Each structure stands twice: as C-alpha cells, then as structure tokens.
Amino acid sequence: MSSKITILIGPRCTHTTTYGMSIGFDLLISGYEERNLSHIIIDRTQGMEGKKIGTISMSGSLATGVQLIKFLKNLHKVDIVYMTIGTSRAGFFRDMIMIWSARFLQKRIVIHLKGGGFLDFFKNNPSWLQAIIRKTFQQINTIIVLGELLRNQFEFVPKINRKLAVVPNGLPKELEIVDVHPKSISSTNSLRVLYLSNMIPSKGYLDLLEACRILRYERQIPIVCDFCGAFLQTVTDHSSTDLENQFYELVKEKKLEEHIVYHGTVRSTKKQQILQQSHVFVLPTNYPWEGQPISIIEALAFALPVIATEYRGIPEQVIDGYNGFLLKEKDPVQIADALEAIWHDPTLYREFSKNALVHYNKHFTQTAHLDNLIPVILGTPNTIQTDTEVEFNL
C-alpha cells in the first residue's frame, strides 16, 4: 500500500489491565503487520500500570523521558508520526514536544483522540496555555475522532474541518465472530446481564449493582450479573476507598451473593465465553474521558442489546429503541426499568438482538475500522467499501 515508515505511539494492553485506548492501539499495530507496512512502535504503557488514572508519578515521568529519547532518535527515519493523545497537562506537554519536533522536520503528523473530554481539558486551562494548545494543534495534519458526535472536541482549532477525520472504533483483534445469530430469552431462565469495562465509579458499576437488587427483590426477576474489569480510580475520584472491598461488602449487604459474579480482567477465550452466554450489556457511564466504548462494540458483535447512558459518542453505537435503550442519566431505577422492559418482552428482545448485530456489521468490524483508519494515517484515499449488509433468516 505504501513504502512510507510510520512511528506509532500509544499504550499497549497488559496481562493485568486494558483500556479502550490500548485495545485500539494493539488493533492498529496488527493492521500494519498484516499489510506489511513499515512502522516503529513506541509503547506508552510503561510507567502507567497501577497508577491512578490522570496522575503523575516519578516512574511515569522517567518512562516518558525514555519514550521521548526513543522518539527523537527515530524521528529522522520516519515519514509519518501517529500518536494517541491524553487529556492531562503532563500528557499535552509530552505530546507538544513530539508534535513540534515532527513539524520542524516536516513529517506528516496524525493525532488520534481515543475517547472524549479534550474540550473540557482545553477550557479548564488558563488562557496562556489555551493559546499554546491551539497553536500546537494547528501544526497537525490530521486529527482523528471516533464519531460525528465528538467533532466538537477540537472546535477551538482554527479551520478544524480541514484537519478532522472521523473513524469509528472496531472490534478488538482477540475476539472471533463465528456463527453469531440473534438471541432469544425465556422467563424459565435467569436474565444474564454483563458489565464489561474497568471498574471505575464513574463508569456506573455501582448503579448497576443497585439495579440488580431492585430487579431481584422488588420485582422478583431472576437475574445473574457478570462484572468484568479491573478496579481503578481516576484523578477525579477523591475518595481513598478500597473499591474492591467496597464492592464485595455491597454485594453482601444487598444479599446478591448468588446473583453477582466478579471475574476481574478478562481476555480472549474467557471474554468470548462470557459474551456468548450473556443476554444484555449494561454500561451506565459518565466517565470524564469516555468517547466510544469498545466494550459496547464487543456486545453488539455478540448480538447483545445494550443499555447505556446518552453520553459522548454512545448514541452512535446505541440507537434508543432499535438495539437497546439510552438512559438520560446513570440511575439504578432507570437501569432496572430498561432491563425489566426487555425481560417482559421476548419479541422486543429478539428484535434488539438482531439489530445489534446488524449495527455492528455495518459500522464497527475490524475490517471497516482498519480500512478507514490506515489510509487516513498514510494520507492516501480510501476507496474500499467497508459497509457490510447482513440479512438473517428469523
């Protein structure tokens, strides 16, 4: 496709913790490898593990220094600089050094916002720093966002529409979509609900836990809920509570021991099995850096109706009344109401399940994602048809 060399800068997945950004970065690397495209990787994971999201640490600062040295040593070899960007001051200054260095050597610069919250970050800085951010982003050739609803994240950049590209996320490489069909539910079996994301308070897992109590004890609906993800705190979480102990204490207090299963971080085969056995996916998030959750794409790919908040890029993934329900806020009663509506209407559930799979195949496959993303990075026209129409015999 291209003889140009790209330096790819972003965080990779680890055995203990994964983020949407790292999952997407690993998928991009696999796309470069499959297409035999020349590239150099700078992994930003080092120094991040075990830290509160959004904080600065000594190990993180040292790791950033090492990454900058590697970047500057390799910059003269490459034609294109691609990087995922953060939404912190430390992250911006790190990215700024790379951007201006690449600009000085006249490299093509592509940045990728793998979430949301950048406009909030910009507005929360003093005017002098806003001016630096604005000037820095004017040096960039292409800015990639995940959805049309996230275009406003860079509205402060002059003539932004000339730079902006929209590329939705794609299904992670670790999952295999084989023989997936629309699902059905029966009142003779428990409703199997899935939460698959890091266990961060603003992601709404505690609201789902309370919704499970409401369904089981106030509405007598048989339910089993699988929680998957690592317990993490962000810089916006001011409590020093041990989140994992708090979770188990609440499960016991709400008498949900027989209805809640916590799996920790799940990958590959185990993740696939849990997705296959689930009926509904729930993510009632207002996470500050949310963009277009990959976990929702995973759910859609396995024909799971989705209940999520009407937040950031999620309404492009979940169409209210078509493949799930959108909540105005992350409220336990609203979550319980949505799950109950699905539980009591098997025909509606079947329709949601079918539409989830159709929506995934049309917008969020690995092929669609990479066939759009890689040409944007390389600066080459994309003439590949990525939409896939799927029909089901129901």
Side-chain angles (χ1 to χ4, degrees), residues 115-341:
F118 201 90
L119 183 59
D120 293 335
F121 162 70
F122 175 80
K123 290 181 176 179
N124 289 332
N125 277 297
S127 57
W128 66 266
L129 185 51
Q130 288 183 359
I132 294 173
I133 296 170
R134 184 182 295 108
K135 188 66 175 179
T136 298
F137 277 73
Q138 285 181 264
Q139 312 311 310
I140 295 164
N141 297 92
T142 301
I143 300 173
I144 304 171
V145 294
L146 298 173
E148 295 292 336
L149 294 174
L150 297 168
R151 281 180 170 272
N152 68 334
Q153 296 297 302
F154 296 97
E155 63 183 23
F156 59 87
V157 181
K159 300 178 181 178
I160 183 58
N161 287 333
R162 298 182 182 181
K163 300 176 180 289
L164 210 59
V166 176
V167 181
N169 270 327
L171 186 74
K173 197 67 180 177
E174 63 180 346
L175 296 176
E176 295 183 11
I177 306 303
V178 179
D179 199 30
V180 177
H181 298 285
K183 297 187 174 188
S184 300
I185 56 172
S186 169
S187 59
T188 59
N189 297 315
S190 295
L191 179 65
R192 196 96 193 196
V193 178
L194 174 62
Y195 173 95
L196 175 61
S197 188
N198 283 319
M199 304 285 280
I200 298 171
S202 57
K203 291 273 190 177
Y205 69 88
L206 293 175
D207 300 285
L208 175 56
L209 189 63
E210 172 60 13
C212 291
R213 186 201 64 78
I214 293 170
L215 289 169
R216 178 65 188 90
Y217 292 108
E218 294 183 12
R219 306 185 187 182
Q220 288 71 54
I221 293 176
I223 186 171
V224 174
C225 188
D226 294 290
F227 287 86
C228 305
F231 285 94
L232 297 173
Q233 288 185 315
T234 73
V235 69
T236 60
D237 298 320
H238 301 296
S239 171
S240 59
T241 302
D242 184 326
L243 296 179
E244 187 168 1
N245 284 339
Q246 178 198 48
F247 178 77
Y248 283 120
E249 288 172 4
L250 286 171
V251 169
K252 185 176 180 179
E253 178 183 307
K254 296 175 190 293
K255 300 180 180 179
L256 291 170
E257 296 96 325
E258 296 181 5
H259 308 281
I260 301 298
V261 183
Y262 174 61
H263 299 270
T265 300
V266 294
R267 301 288 302 272
S268 305
T269 302
K270 186 174 182 180
K271 180 191 283 190
Q272 185 132 348
Q273 290 172 346
I274 291 173
L275 284 161
Q276 287 170 335
Q277 72 185 17
S278 299
H279 295 125
V280 186
F281 178 81
V282 180
L283 187 67
T285 178
N286 66 355
Y287 178 60
W289 300 286
E290 200 74 83
Q292 188 187 77
I294 287 179
S295 58
I296 291 181
I297 294 174
E298 293 171 331
L300 296 176
F302 283 83
L304 300 184
V306 176
I307 297 170
T309 36
E310 189 177 352
Y311 184 64
R312 295 279 165 75
I314 292 175
E316 293 181 68
Q317 299 175 291
V318 184
I319 301 171
D320 190 45
Y322 174 75
N323 61 351
F325 289 120
L326 285 176
L327 310 177
K328 295 298 182 182
E329 56 189 69
K330 59 185 198 74
D331 174 69
V333 175
Q334 288 189 29
I335 298 168
D337 289 345
L339 286 168
E340 184 177 15

Side-chain angles (χ1 to χ4, degrees), residues 356-369:
L357 203 48
V358 170
H359 198 57
Y360 158 73
N361 277 290
K362 189 172 184 180
H363 298 289
F364 302 112
T365 63
Q366 293 169 3
T367 300
H369 174 70

